[in-house]
Structures are given as C-alpha cells and as structure tokens.
Amino acid sequence: MTTKKILILTGDGIGPEIMGEAVKVLEVLKAGGEAIEWRFGLLGGAAYDAEGHPYPPSTQKAAREADAILLAAVGGPKYDELPRELRPERGLLGIRKDLNLFANFRPALAFEELADASSLKKEVIAGLDILILRELTGDIYFGQPRGRRTNADGQLEGYDTMHYSVPEIERIARVAFEAARKRHKRVCSVDKENVLETSRLWREVVIRIGQEYPDVELTHMYVDNAAMQLLKRPKQFDVIVTGNIFGDILSDEASMLAGSIGMLPSASLDANNKGMYEPIHGSAPDIAGQNKANPLATILSVGMMFRYSFGRGDVADRIDAAVKQVLRDGYRTGDIAQPGEKVIGTREMGDAVVAALKRLA
Ligand code: IPM
Ligand code: MG
C-alpha cells in the first residue's frame, strides 16, 4: 500500500481536544505498521482567524492533495457576527462542494453499553443499526437563486431554491442501493413528494435506479412521517436515503437513538471514495478547553476513514472493538454517564481507547 496522506482539520471549540485523541490512535496504528502520514490544516473559525477565510487557499490545496481528511468540528459564538460568507459553516459547506463529497454516511448505532443514556426506551433501540445516507452537495443548501428581494406587496422577503438534477439523484441512489447490498438490503427513500416538485423527480429517479437492484427492497416515506417513525419504531429502517436538508434534520434526530450525539462518526465521500470524516456533533464551545468532550465519535471517524477510503475494514473493526471495550469497562465522559457513574475527561478516554487498541493488536 502506498502511504496514505491524511489532512487533519482540528477546527474550533472542542475540535483540537477531540482531535488530539484521534491523533493518538493514528500514532498507534502507524507504530503498528500502517502506511499513513498526516499534516494539519485550518478550517472554519480557526482558518478565518489565521488567514481571513473559513476555507482558505492553503487548505484547498492540501485538501485536494490528501487521500482523506479528518475534521473535528467548526463554529462558535465568536464568529456569529461575521458576514455569512466568512462564517465557519461556510468553510464546511465550501470544502464539501469543492471536493464533490456528495454522499454523506451517517450511521446511527445503538451501543448496548449506553442503552440507558438514550431518552428512548431500551427495547425500542436495543440492537439498532441504521444508516442515513444524506445527499450533501445539492438541494436548498446550494440552490440558486437565493437572497432577499422586495415582493409584489412591497415587502422584504428572503428566499432559497430547492432543486435536484437527475444525475445528482441517480448517483446518490446508487450509493444507497450499493450500501444496502452490504447490509440488510432495504432502502427507504425519504422525500416530500406530496408537496414538492423536487421530491416528485427524486422519487421517480430513485424508483428507476431501484430497478437495477431487484435484490434490494425499496420503500418511500414522507419526511414528516419518517421523523415520527424514527422515534416510534426505528428498527424498521436499514438504509435511509434522502436529500441534503431532510438528511441534516433526520440525522440529528437519529443520533439521539444512539444515546449521545457524542458517539456518532460520519463519512462524506466523492465518486472515488476520497472522503472527509467527522463526528456528527458540533464544536460545543460551552465545554471547549475543559477536557470534558467525548472524543469517541472522532476516534470512530478514524475507523470509518480506514473502512471507506483505505479499504481496510479490518482496522476499522479493531477501532470499533476498542471503543466497545472501553464502554464495557465503564469509561464514561459526561455526555454518556448515568447519575452516579464516574466521569472521566477527554484525554483519559483517549488513553483508554489507545490501551484497548494495543491489546487488540
Ligand atoms: C451538519 C451541520 C452543517 C449542515 C452545518 C454546520 C452547516 O449541521 O453537518 O449536519 O447543516 O450540514
Ligand atoms: Mg446538521
């Protein structure tokens, strides 16, 4: 294997702390013989502070050169007053679009060991394993025109444009059916076909692509119903495929099934499996710099990187097993602790994973 080049973007808030623990994991893997190297770059608020832009040219260049990117999280109240084009979120949207990372994998897994941390009943979530596949470079997030205008009544209005082209729908649908083939062979496409033209086309195209995958069962659900079903009977789902904005909302909802948003990694891939890997949680400025954040989602993101971009499911399995082991051993950061349980810090959690990983080597 040629040496894989990883670009690490620590971002803002708790980003540097949780990434510090992910880097410890990379160090163990490298010491164990994995051909990887990494460098650091800037994205979001940190990039704005240093270079005046949330996705500066230096990061663009490094991102294009890398085989994979690890990102912690971006954003913070400090940047709230900036013009929209300079806000940390624009950095994130910018890198997704620039690298054409259209397929966003957001698994929602219920860790047995954390069943009590979920706000749902144990039996509703026990054994849950769903994959939300969110289209990430289209939809109302990027649609033009958008802006403000004066309407026919002379009132100021804001507007955005939702659209999806046939090729955009085709490619995400294919990713969904392929992913389902490696799982339980069921795809639920989520849309708002009873109201939106975009969704009507979405559904037509998904059905047509689905005919190429007769071994995969395809169902459809309106997004409002999907939001309800995720809480009512989440285990009915295998792969959920949906557009950018519906996926944004449903994946936050689904993260709660796992017990904590601090547990879930994600992958955003282009057509060649180059990807950016990040926890689905945000930068949690309220606890930044206090050694309180849960680094597990970032560490699990390292695993996803090995699985999806480096074709090394075996390494991913080891990382997943190490995380499960520390949970079984009772290690808890504040977000996943039950009353009375001993709470440890970010660094201690990272150390525990590293120790477990070495034992599994
Ligand atoms: C996410 C986030 C982003 C999004 C924000 C920070 C722009 O919520 O990755 O889900 O809306 O895509
Ligand atoms: Mg979101």
Side-chain angles (χ1 to χ4, degrees), residues 248-287:
D248 178 44
I249 298 165
L250 293 182
S251 61
D252 262 33
E253 186 189 0
S255 72
M256 274 296 108
L257 306 172
S260 164
I261 197 167
M263 293 303 301
L264 296 180
S266 74
S268 307
L269 304 185
D270 74 2
N272 305 310
N273 290 337
K274 170 167 173 165
M276 180 161 80
Y277 298 83
E278 56 180 309
I280 82 161
H281 61 70
S283 59
D286 52 319
I287 56 164

Short mmCIF file of all heavy atoms in Angstrom, two decimals, residues 248-287:
data_model
loop_
_atom_site.label_atom_id
_atom_site.label_comp_id
_atom_site.label_asym_id
_atom_site.label_seq_id
_atom_site.Cartn_x
_atom_site.Cartn_y
_atom_site.Cartn_z
N ASP A 248 -30.08 16.40 6.98
CA ASP A 248 -29.50 17.18 8.08
C ASP A 248 -30.35 17.01 9.33
O ASP A 248 -29.85 16.71 10.42
CB ASP A 248 -29.44 18.65 7.67
CG ASP A 248 -28.90 19.54 8.78
OD1 ASP A 248 -27.90 19.15 9.41
OD2 ASP A 248 -29.49 20.61 9.02
N ILE A 249 -31.64 17.16 9.15
CA ILE A 249 -32.56 17.14 10.29
C ILE A 249 -32.72 15.71 10.83
O ILE A 249 -32.59 15.47 12.04
CB ILE A 249 -33.93 17.71 9.86
CG1 ILE A 249 -33.75 19.17 9.41
CG2 ILE A 249 -34.94 17.61 11.00
CD1 ILE A 249 -34.91 19.75 8.64
N LEU A 250 -32.97 14.76 9.95
CA LEU A 250 -33.21 13.39 10.42
C LEU A 250 -31.97 12.78 11.08
O LEU A 250 -32.08 11.98 12.00
CB LEU A 250 -33.66 12.49 9.26
CG LEU A 250 -35.03 12.81 8.67
CD1 LEU A 250 -35.35 11.81 7.56
CD2 LEU A 250 -36.14 12.80 9.72
N SER A 251 -30.77 13.17 10.62
CA SER A 251 -29.58 12.56 11.21
C SER A 251 -29.33 13.09 12.62
O SER A 251 -28.83 12.37 13.47
CB SER A 251 -28.36 12.72 10.31
OG SER A 251 -28.06 14.08 10.10
N ASP A 252 -29.68 14.33 12.88
CA ASP A 252 -29.58 14.80 14.27
C ASP A 252 -30.58 14.05 15.14
O ASP A 252 -30.27 13.64 16.26
CB ASP A 252 -29.88 16.31 14.37
CG ASP A 252 -28.61 17.15 14.42
OD1 ASP A 252 -27.61 16.74 13.78
OD2 ASP A 252 -28.61 18.20 15.09
N GLU A 253 -31.76 13.87 14.63
CA GLU A 253 -32.78 13.13 15.39
C GLU A 253 -32.28 11.71 15.67
O GLU A 253 -32.34 11.24 16.80
CB GLU A 253 -34.10 13.09 14.61
CG GLU A 253 -35.21 12.46 15.44
CD GLU A 253 -36.48 12.21 14.62
OE1 GLU A 253 -36.52 12.52 13.42
OE2 GLU A 253 -37.42 11.69 15.22
N ALA A 254 -31.76 11.07 14.64
CA ALA A 254 -31.34 9.67 14.79
C ALA A 254 -30.17 9.53 15.76
O ALA A 254 -30.01 8.49 16.41
CB ALA A 254 -30.95 9.10 13.42
N SER A 255 -29.36 10.59 15.88
CA SER A 255 -28.21 10.49 16.77
C SER A 255 -28.65 10.26 18.21
O SER A 255 -27.93 9.65 19.00
CB SER A 255 -27.36 11.75 16.68
OG SER A 255 -28.01 12.84 17.30
N MET A 256 -29.82 10.74 18.54
CA MET A 256 -30.30 10.57 19.91
C MET A 256 -30.66 9.11 20.21
O MET A 256 -30.71 8.70 21.36
CB MET A 256 -31.52 11.45 20.15
CG MET A 256 -31.15 12.84 20.57
SD MET A 256 -30.29 12.82 22.16
CE MET A 256 -28.63 13.22 21.68
N LEU A 257 -30.91 8.34 19.15
CA LEU A 257 -31.20 6.92 19.37
C LEU A 257 -29.97 6.21 19.90
O LEU A 257 -30.04 5.21 20.59
CB LEU A 257 -31.66 6.27 18.06
CG LEU A 257 -32.82 6.95 17.34
CD1 LEU A 257 -33.03 6.32 15.97
CD2 LEU A 257 -34.09 6.87 18.16
N ALA A 258 -28.80 6.77 19.56
CA ALA A 258 -27.54 6.13 19.96
C ALA A 258 -27.17 6.45 21.40
O ALA A 258 -26.22 5.92 21.93
CB ALA A 258 -26.42 6.58 19.04
N GLY A 259 -27.91 7.32 22.02
CA GLY A 259 -27.60 7.64 23.40
C GLY A 259 -26.96 9.02 23.53
O GLY A 259 -27.27 9.77 24.43
N SER A 260 -26.07 9.34 22.62
CA SER A 260 -25.46 10.66 22.68
C SER A 260 -24.97 11.02 21.30
O SER A 260 -24.45 10.18 20.57
CB SER A 260 -24.27 10.67 23.63
OG SER A 260 -23.47 11.82 23.40
N ILE A 261 -25.09 12.30 20.99
CA ILE A 261 -24.57 12.76 19.70
C ILE A 261 -23.04 12.69 19.72
O ILE A 261 -22.39 12.70 18.68
CB ILE A 261 -25.12 14.18 19.40
CG1 ILE A 261 -24.97 14.53 17.93
CG2 ILE A 261 -24.49 15.21 20.32
CD1 ILE A 261 -25.76 15.75 17.51
N GLY A 262 -22.46 12.53 20.90
CA GLY A 262 -21.01 12.42 21.03
C GLY A 262 -20.45 11.10 20.56
O GLY A 262 -19.24 10.88 20.59
N MET A 263 -21.30 10.18 20.13
CA MET A 263 -20.87 8.83 19.77
C MET A 263 -20.78 8.57 18.27
O MET A 263 -20.28 7.54 17.86
CB MET A 263 -21.84 7.80 20.35
CG MET A 263 -21.84 7.70 21.86
SD MET A 263 -20.22 7.32 22.53
CE MET A 263 -19.88 5.76 21.72
N LEU A 264 -21.35 9.47 17.45
CA LEU A 264 -21.54 9.07 16.06
C LEU A 264 -20.57 9.72 15.07
O LEU A 264 -20.47 10.94 14.98
CB LEU A 264 -22.98 9.36 15.62
CG LEU A 264 -24.02 8.55 16.38
CD1 LEU A 264 -25.41 8.90 15.89
CD2 LEU A 264 -23.78 7.06 16.26
N PRO A 265 -19.88 8.89 14.31
CA PRO A 265 -18.98 9.37 13.26
C PRO A 265 -19.74 9.54 11.95
O PRO A 265 -20.89 9.10 11.83
CB PRO A 265 -17.99 8.22 13.11
CG PRO A 265 -18.81 7.00 13.38
CD PRO A 265 -19.86 7.41 14.40
N SER A 266 -19.11 10.16 10.97
CA SER A 266 -19.74 10.23 9.66
C SER A 266 -18.66 10.27 8.59
O SER A 266 -17.51 10.58 8.87
CB SER A 266 -20.62 11.48 9.54
OG SER A 266 -19.81 12.63 9.40
N ALA A 267 -19.09 9.93 7.37
CA ALA A 267 -18.17 9.96 6.24
C ALA A 267 -18.85 10.71 5.11
O ALA A 267 -20.04 10.53 4.87
CB ALA A 267 -17.85 8.54 5.78
N SER A 268 -18.09 11.56 4.42
CA SER A 268 -18.62 12.25 3.25
C SER A 268 -17.70 11.92 2.08
O SER A 268 -16.53 12.29 2.09
CB SER A 268 -18.62 13.76 3.48
OG SER A 268 -19.31 14.06 4.67
N LEU A 269 -18.26 11.21 1.10
CA LEU A 269 -17.41 10.65 0.04
C LEU A 269 -17.70 11.25 -1.33
O LEU A 269 -18.83 11.61 -1.64
CB LEU A 269 -17.64 9.14 -0.06
CG LEU A 269 -17.42 8.31 1.21
CD1 LEU A 269 -17.57 6.83 0.89
CD2 LEU A 269 -16.07 8.57 1.82
N ASP A 270 -16.67 11.27 -2.16
CA ASP A 270 -16.86 11.62 -3.56
C ASP A 270 -17.05 10.34 -4.37
O ASP A 270 -17.19 9.24 -3.80
CB ASP A 270 -15.70 12.49 -4.08
CG ASP A 270 -14.41 11.69 -4.31
OD1 ASP A 270 -14.39 10.46 -4.10
OD2 ASP A 270 -13.41 12.33 -4.71
N ALA A 271 -17.02 10.44 -5.68
CA ALA A 271 -17.31 9.27 -6.51
C ALA A 271 -16.18 8.24 -6.46
O ALA A 271 -16.36 7.09 -6.87
CB ALA A 271 -17.56 9.71 -7.95
N ASN A 272 -14.99 8.64 -5.96
CA ASN A 272 -13.85 7.71 -5.91
C ASN A 272 -13.49 7.30 -4.50
O ASN A 272 -12.36 6.88 -4.24
CB ASN A 272 -12.63 8.36 -6.56
CG ASN A 272 -12.93 8.81 -7.97
OD1 ASN A 272 -13.46 8.03 -8.76
ND2 ASN A 272 -12.65 10.06 -8.28
N ASN A 273 -14.40 7.48 -3.58
CA ASN A 273 -14.18 7.12 -2.18
C ASN A 273 -13.12 7.95 -1.48
O ASN A 273 -12.60 7.55 -0.45
CB ASN A 273 -13.84 5.64 -2.01
CG ASN A 273 -15.05 4.77 -2.28
OD1 ASN A 273 -16.19 5.24 -2.17
ND2 ASN A 273 -14.82 3.53 -2.65
N LYS A 274 -12.77 9.07 -2.07
CA LYS A 274 -12.00 10.02 -1.27
C LYS A 274 -13.00 10.63 -0.31
O LYS A 274 -14.14 10.90 -0.68
CB LYS A 274 -11.40 11.10 -2.17
CG LYS A 274 -10.78 12.26 -1.37
CD LYS A 274 -9.95 13.12 -2.27
CE LYS A 274 -9.48 14.36 -1.53
NZ LYS A 274 -8.41 15.04 -2.24
N GLY A 275 -12.58 10.84 0.94
CA GLY A 275 -13.60 11.28 1.87
C GLY A 275 -13.12 12.20 2.96
O GLY A 275 -11.93 12.30 3.23
N MET A 276 -14.11 12.83 3.54
CA MET A 276 -13.86 13.63 4.74
C MET A 276 -14.64 12.96 5.88
O MET A 276 -15.81 12.60 5.72
CB MET A 276 -14.33 15.06 4.53
CG MET A 276 -14.11 15.94 5.75
SD MET A 276 -14.15 17.68 5.31
CE MET A 276 -15.91 17.96 5.21
N TYR A 277 -13.98 12.80 7.01
CA TYR A 277 -14.54 12.05 8.13
C TYR A 277 -14.65 12.96 9.33
O TYR A 277 -13.69 13.63 9.70
CB TYR A 277 -13.64 10.85 8.43
CG TYR A 277 -13.60 9.93 7.22
CD1 TYR A 277 -12.74 10.19 6.16
CD2 TYR A 277 -14.49 8.87 7.10
CE1 TYR A 277 -12.75 9.39 5.02
CE2 TYR A 277 -14.51 8.08 5.97
CZ TYR A 277 -13.64 8.34 4.93
OH TYR A 277 -13.67 7.57 3.80
N GLU A 278 -15.81 12.96 9.94
CA GLU A 278 -16.01 13.88 11.07
C GLU A 278 -17.09 13.35 12.00
O GLU A 278 -18.00 12.64 11.57
CB GLU A 278 -16.40 15.27 10.57
CG GLU A 278 -17.62 15.24 9.68
CD GLU A 278 -18.06 16.60 9.14
OE1 GLU A 278 -18.21 17.54 9.94
OE2 GLU A 278 -18.30 16.70 7.93
N PRO A 279 -16.99 13.71 13.28
CA PRO A 279 -18.09 13.39 14.18
C PRO A 279 -19.31 14.19 13.75
O PRO A 279 -19.16 15.26 13.15
CB PRO A 279 -17.59 13.88 15.54
CG PRO A 279 -16.54 14.90 15.24
CD PRO A 279 -15.92 14.48 13.94
N ILE A 280 -20.51 13.69 14.03
CA ILE A 280 -21.66 14.48 13.56
C ILE A 280 -22.01 15.61 14.52
O ILE A 280 -22.78 16.48 14.21
CB ILE A 280 -22.90 13.61 13.21
CG1 ILE A 280 -23.71 13.24 14.42
CG2 ILE A 280 -22.54 12.37 12.44
CD1 ILE A 280 -25.10 12.81 13.99
N HIS A 281 -21.40 15.59 15.70
CA HIS A 281 -21.69 16.68 16.64
C HIS A 281 -20.94 17.95 16.26
O HIS A 281 -20.06 17.94 15.40
CB HIS A 281 -21.35 16.26 18.07
CG HIS A 281 -19.90 15.92 18.29
ND1 HIS A 281 -18.91 16.88 18.27
CD2 HIS A 281 -19.28 14.74 18.51
CE1 HIS A 281 -17.75 16.30 18.48
NE2 HIS A 281 -17.94 14.99 18.62
N GLY A 282 -21.27 19.02 16.95
CA GLY A 282 -20.67 20.32 16.65
C GLY A 282 -19.46 20.62 17.53
O GLY A 282 -18.87 19.71 18.13
N SER A 283 -19.11 21.90 17.61
CA SER A 283 -17.87 22.31 18.25
C SER A 283 -18.01 22.59 19.74
O SER A 283 -17.04 22.91 20.41
CB SER A 283 -17.31 23.54 17.53
OG SER A 283 -18.26 24.58 17.59
N ALA A 284 -19.23 22.48 20.25
CA ALA A 284 -19.52 22.60 21.70
C ALA A 284 -18.68 23.66 22.42
O ALA A 284 -17.95 23.34 23.36
CB ALA A 284 -19.35 21.24 22.37
N PRO A 285 -18.79 24.92 21.99
CA PRO A 285 -17.95 25.96 22.60
C PRO A 285 -18.12 26.06 24.12
O PRO A 285 -17.19 26.46 24.82
CB PRO A 285 -18.40 27.25 21.90
CG PRO A 285 -19.53 26.90 21.01
CD PRO A 285 -19.64 25.44 20.89
N ASP A 286 -19.28 25.65 24.61
CA ASP A 286 -19.53 25.79 26.06
C ASP A 286 -18.60 24.92 26.92
O ASP A 286 -18.37 25.23 28.07
CB ASP A 286 -21.00 25.47 26.38
CG ASP A 286 -21.45 24.12 25.81
OD1 ASP A 286 -21.08 23.81 24.66
OD2 ASP A 286 -22.16 23.38 26.52
N ILE A 287 -18.10 23.83 26.34
CA ILE A 287 -17.20 22.98 27.14
C ILE A 287 -15.78 22.95 26.57
O ILE A 287 -14.95 22.15 27.01
CB ILE A 287 -17.74 21.53 27.29
CG1 ILE A 287 -17.99 20.88 25.92
CG2 ILE A 287 -18.99 21.49 28.15
CD1 ILE A 287 -18.14 19.36 26.01
#
